[in-house]
Amino acid sequence: MASARDQSMKASMPAYTSNPTHEVFTSAFFSSSSGSANWLFTTLAIVFALLVLEQSVYRYKKRHLPGANWTIPLIGKFADSVKPTMEGYKKQWQSGALSAVSVFNIFIVMASTNEYARKIFNSPNHAEPCLVYSAKQVLLSDNWVFLTGKVHVEYRRILNTLFTRKALGVYVGIQDEITREHIAKWLAEAAKDPSPKPIMMPARDLNMVTSLRVFCGKYIPDHAAQEIADKYWTITVALELVNFPLALPGTKIYRAIQARKIAMRWLEHAAHESKKAMAAGGEPGCMLDEWVHVLADPNHKGRREFSDHEMAMVVFSFLFASQDAMSSGLIYGFQHLADHPEILEKLREEQARVRGGDFQKPVTLEMMDEMPYLRAVVKESMRVKPPVTMVPYKTTKAFPISSDYTVPVGSMVIPSIYPSLHDAEVFPEPEAFLPERWLDPQGSANQNPKNYLVFGSGPHKCIGIEYAVMNIGLVLADAAVLMNWEHVRTEKSDKVQIIATLFPQDGCLMKFTPREQAS
C-alpha cells in the first residue's frame, strides 16, 4: 500500500528537470555581463596605460628643464595657447634659458637667451623652420621657406636679385603712389566722421594693396586684389602658434586653405602674364617682372626655369610676411610716434630738409638714403614691439643644444626674439622708445647686432629686410608730412594681441586731420 501510494504521489507531482532553454539564457546572461565587464576593464586599462605612457614620455623628454611636471592628457597647454598673452610668454622665458611645454602631444622647447636663439637659427643640420604646426598645410609643404640645404641656398641666391638697389628703386615709386592714395582716403573718411577709428585693418589694407602691386604689378585686376585682401585674414588667424591641427570644414585651417587656393590662382596668372610681357620686350615694372628679367639673362648664375606655380608660391610667402609683419610694424610705428610728439617733430624736420619743403614730390630711393632718423625710428619701433616674438623650428635629428640637454628629434624648438631685443645690457631702458640709440655707431645697440633678431638670423634670415624697412619708413614719412594724427589711448593701448604677429588690443585708435603745410 505504502509503496503504491508513494508511486502514485510520484506520478502526480511533477519532478523538476533542468530546462535547456533556461540553461542557455542563464549562461548567456552571465557570459555577456562578464564579457562587457572584461571589455570595460580592458579599455580602461589601455587608456590608463596610454596616459601613463604620455606622462612618462613627456617627463623623459623634459628631463631637468623648467616646466610643468606633468601635462594635461592629450591637449597639454592648449588652453593657454588659444589666447596667448605677452605676460604668459614672459613668465615662460623667465623660467629658464631653456624650458619645456607640451601641446597636443607636440613637445616644445623654448629658448629665451640670445645664445640659444641664435644657435637654433644657425643649426640647419639639426632644425628646420616650421613656422607653426599648420604652416605647411596653408603655405604648401614645397614652399621655398621650408626648403633646406643646397636647394634652399640656390633659391635664396636667385631671390636676392629681387631686392637689389635697382629693384628697390622701382618698388619705392609704387609704394609712394599707393601710400598717398590711401592717406587721401583716410583723410576723406575722417572729414566725414572725425571720431577715432582703429587703424589696424586700414593699415593691413594699405600693405596688401602695396604688396600686390609691388609683387605683381597690374597683372592682378582690382577686383581680384580686393578678393585676396578680404580672404587673407583667414590665413593670418590660421597661422597662430597653436590651432586645431586637422583641416576639417569650419576650422581655421580649412578656411585658410580655401583662401590660399583663391590667391594662388591669381598669383599663377600674374606669373604667366609677366612672362608674356617680358618675352615681348617689356621693361620690369614689378617684382615678378624683375624675376623673369633676371632669369632671361644668359649670364645669370644658377639660371633655371621656374614654373608659374613655383613663382606664385614665393610671392604667396612674401605676402604673408608683408601683410602681417609689416602691418604690425606700421601700426606700432604710428602709435609710438603719436605717443612721442617730440620724436615725430624731429622726423618732420628731417623730411622737410630732404624733400626741400616740397611734400608732393615723389620719394626716391636716393631720398630715403638721406633719412637716417626715419630709419632709426623704424628700427627702434620694431625693437620695442617686434612684429614676431618667436619663430618655431622643428628638430630633424637629436639636437644637442647645450652641454647637458639634447632636444629630441621631431620636437618643436622655438628661438624667442623678444628677450634679445629687451636686453638691458645692450639696450638701456629697454622698454623706452629711443630712436637716438641707433644714431651712435659706437653705441651698445649698434655694437651688438647679434641682439637685433627682428628679422631672424642664419640661413633663413628674412630676405626682404631692406624692402620691409623701406616700406614702413615710407608710409610713416608720407603720413608725417601729409597729416596730423592723434592717438586716443585706452586701457588696452599698451596690451598686446598676439595673432600671427603683435597688434595693440584696441586696434590703435587714431584721429586724422590734414596738415596745412602739405597743401
Side-chain angles (χ1 to χ4, degrees):
M1 291 283 297
S3 176
R5 188 169 58 249
D6 290 343
Q7 291 294 328
S8 176
M9 291 178 64
K10 288 180 180 179
S12 63
M13 293 180 64
Y16 179 81
T17 57
S18 297
N19 188 323
T21 305
H22 175 79
E23 287 184 352
V24 171
F25 174 80
T26 304
S27 175
F29 174 79
F30 284 105
S31 175
S32 174
S33 298
S34 176
S36 298
N38 287 339
W39 274 110
L40 176 62
F41 291 140
T42 300
T43 301
L44 290 176
I46 291 173
V47 170
F48 179 74
L50 290 175
L51 292 177
V52 170
L53 177 62
E54 177 187 44
Q55 301 302 320
S56 299
V57 170
Y58 168 72
R59 292 292 295 271
Y60 174 76
K61 291 181 176 180
K62 175 182 172 295
R63 294 177 59 190
H64 63 276
L65 294 187
N69 289 326
W70 62 281
T71 180
I72 299 173
L74 300 179
I75 64 173
K77 288 287 188 178
F78 175 69
D80 292 342
S81 303
V82 170
K83 291 186 177 181
T85 63
M86 187 59 69
E87 292 74 21
Y89 281 145
K90 288 180 178 179
K91 183 179 180 180
Q92 184 80 24
W93 295 327
Q94 291 165 1
S95 69
L98 296 173
S99 58
V101 67
S102 178
V103 180
F104 277 131
N105 273 323
I106 302 170
F107 183 71
I108 303 170
V109 174
M110 297 185 70
S112 63
T113 66
N114 184 261
E115 174 192 359
Y116 287 136
R118 290 179 60 81
K119 188 166 186 176
I120 297 168
F121 281 131
N122 289 278
S123 298
N125 292 329
H126 290 90
E128 63 182 16
C130 64
L131 298 184
V132 295
Y133 190 78
S134 61
K136 288 188 178 182
Q137 297 181 74
V138 177
L139 300 180
L140 296 174
S141 59
D142 54 343
N143 199 305
W144 80 282
V145 298
F146 302 118
L147 301 178
T148 58
K150 183 179 179 182
V151 63
H152 179 259
V153 171
E154 291 175 349
Y155 244 103
R156 285 188 71 96
R157 182 183 297 118
I158 293 169
L159 299 183
N160 278 332
T161 63
L162 306 181
F163 299 100
T164 61
R165 280 191 63 82
K166 177 178 176 294
L168 292 173
V170 174
Y171 307 156
V172 71
I174 302 173
Q175 292 169 323
D176 186 44
E177 179 182 354
I178 294 175
T179 295
R180 291 174 183 273
E181 291 174 358
H182 277 258
I183 287 176
K185 177 182 175 182
W186 294 350
L187 288 173
E189 291 174 350
K192 295 178 182 178
D193 180 3
S195 63
K197 303 289 192 306
I199 67 164
M200 181 173 169
M201 287 305 173
R204 294 185 84 256
D205 290 342
L206 165 60
N207 269 331
M208 177 58 82
V209 173
T210 302
S211 297
L212 284 173
R213 289 291 170 244
V214 168
F215 300 159
C216 303
K218 295 293 184 180
Y219 301 128
I220 293 183
D222 291 340
H223 73 275
Q226 188 60 53
E227 183 179 22
I228 294 173
D230 291 342
K231 300 285 187 182
Y232 212 93
W233 180 248
T234 62
I235 294 172
T236 296
V237 297
L239 293 176
E240 295 170 331
L241 182 59
V242 176
N243 263 317
F244 183 73
L246 302 179
L248 300 178
T251 62
K252 293 179 181 180
I253 297 177
Y254 177 84
R255 290 194 294 268
I257 290 173
Q258 306 314 306
R260 179 251 293 158
K261 291 177 180 178
I262 293 172
M264 283 292 292
R265 282 198 294 269
W266 283 112
L267 297 177
E268 288 180 30
H269 167 79
H272 183 74
E273 293 300 310
S274 175
K275 290 176 180 177
K276 287 169 55 177
M278 293 300 99
E283 284 295 316
C286 66
M287 184 177 288
L288 282 174
D289 289 346
E290 286 286 343
W291 192 350
V292 175
H293 195 68
V294 168
L295 294 178
D297 182 358
N299 298 317
H300 176 66
K301 186 177 180 180
R303 180 174 177 267
R304 76 170 179 86
E305 293 297 323
F306 284 84
S307 68
D308 296 344
H309 180 72
E310 287 177 307
M311 298 180 80
M313 279 198 297
V314 169
V315 173
F316 188 72
S317 69
F318 286 172
L319 276 180
F320 171 64
S322 62
Q323 175 67 357
D324 294 292
M326 286 204 314
S327 293
S328 172
L330 180 57
I331 290 166
Y332 274 115
F334 271 110
Q335 180 163 310
H336 287 140
L337 286 173
D339 291 346
H340 298 82
E342 73 286 357
I343 294 175
L344 176 57
E345 186 56 35
K346 290 181 181 179
L347 189 149
R348 283 173 169 156
E349 291 172 359
E350 180 181 72
Q351 292 301 305
R353 175 180 58 78
V354 174
R355 300 179 189 230
D358 183 1
F359 299 140
Q360 302 306 319
K361 181 180 179 180
V363 177
T364 65
L365 192 60
E366 291 70 27
M367 291 167 66
M368 295 292 291
D369 290 340
E370 298 178 32
M371 302 175 183
Y373 195 73
L374 172 65
R375 190 177 185 88
V377 165
V378 174
K379 198 167 185 178
E380 178 69 351
S381 181
M382 297 181 81
R383 183 198 67 78
V384 175
K385 283 292 191 294
V388 177
T389 59
M390 57 188 72
V391 183
Y393 277 62
K394 182 179 181 180
T395 53
T396 55
K397 63 175 70 171
F399 184 2
I401 193 169
S402 70
S403 60
D404 62 352
Y405 185 75
T406 297
V407 184
V409 62
S411 303
M412 189 178 285
V413 56
I414 303 180
S416 302
I417 293 170
Y418 192 94
S420 290
L421 296 170
H422 290 77
D423 184 340
E425 293 186 6
V426 177
F427 306 108
E429 298 181 75
E431 300 301 325
F433 179 60
L434 303 172
E436 283 75 12
R437 74 169 86 238
W438 297 103
L439 300 179
D440 179 7
Q442 302 306 315
S444 61
N446 284 312
Q447 289 297 307
N448 290 278
K450 62 183 179 61
N451 273 73
Y452 198 76
L453 295 178
V454 170
F455 298 98
S457 179
H460 288 275
K461 186 175 182 178
C462 177
I463 200 169
I465 297 175
E466 290 300 320
Y467 171 79
V469 172
M470 180 176 74
N471 186 69
I472 295 172
L474 180 66
V475 175
L476 294 177
D478 278 350
V481 299
L482 296 175
M483 66 181 187
N484 295 307
W485 64 89
E486 175 190 346
H487 180 209
V488 179
R489 294 186 60 81
T490 72
E491 61 180 11
K492 294 184 178 180
S493 295
D494 294 326
K495 294 182 179 179
V496 173
Q497 179 183 12
I498 303 175
I499 310 174
T501 49
L502 304 188
F503 296 100
Q505 281 191 8
D506 62 5
C508 192
L509 295 170
M510 290 287 179
K511 296 173 69 174
F512 295 137
T513 55
R515 294 190 75 218
E516 295 181 3
Q517 305 95 305
S519 59

